[in-house]
Amino acid sequence: VSMSIDDKCRLIKMASDAGLKVVAEAGQKGHDNWTNSLSYINKQIEAYFEAGAWKTLITGEGVSEGGEAVSVTNLKLPPS
């Protein structure tokens, strides 16, 4: 299901406000070149945590696509 970041954040907030621990997923399967944009992945991660996500996973295709790895050390993660 394709959904905007804003729509996902609304759902995350709704679930979080209802007392659920939300595990969100950053990245987007099946779209060319999205993994080349570290800022896109960071934008998703930041938005999901601000919306109340407990944790955020990165789609497997977000870590490695087309032979080029995205370094997770360059991701902006909130302090634990």
Side-chain angles (χ1 to χ4, degrees):
V1 174
S2 181
M3 193 180 303
S4 72
I5 292 175
D6 289 338
D7 287 342
K8 288 179 185 179
C9 287
R10 276 192 285 281
L11 292 174
I12 290 168
K13 181 162 176 33
M14 234 190 319
S16 181
D17 287 350
L20 298 173
K21 285 188 174 183
V22 178
V23 178
E25 184 179 30
Q28 198 167 358
K29 296 176 187 170
H31 290 273
D32 293 335
N33 296 327
W34 72 266
T35 56
N36 294 330
S37 175
L38 192 57
S39 64
Y40 176 73
I41 297 170
N42 279 323
K43 179 180 177 181
Q44 285 185 318
I45 292 170
E46 185 176 314
Y48 298 160
F49 279 119
E50 285 180 12
W54 175 59
K55 292 187 179 192
T56 299
L57 305 175
I58 302 170
T59 302
E61 291 179 21
V63 175
S64 155
E65 178 82 5
E68 299 213 13
V70 173
S71 172
V72 292
T73 59
N74 293 328
L75 294 173
K76 295 179 185 175
L77 304 175
S80 335

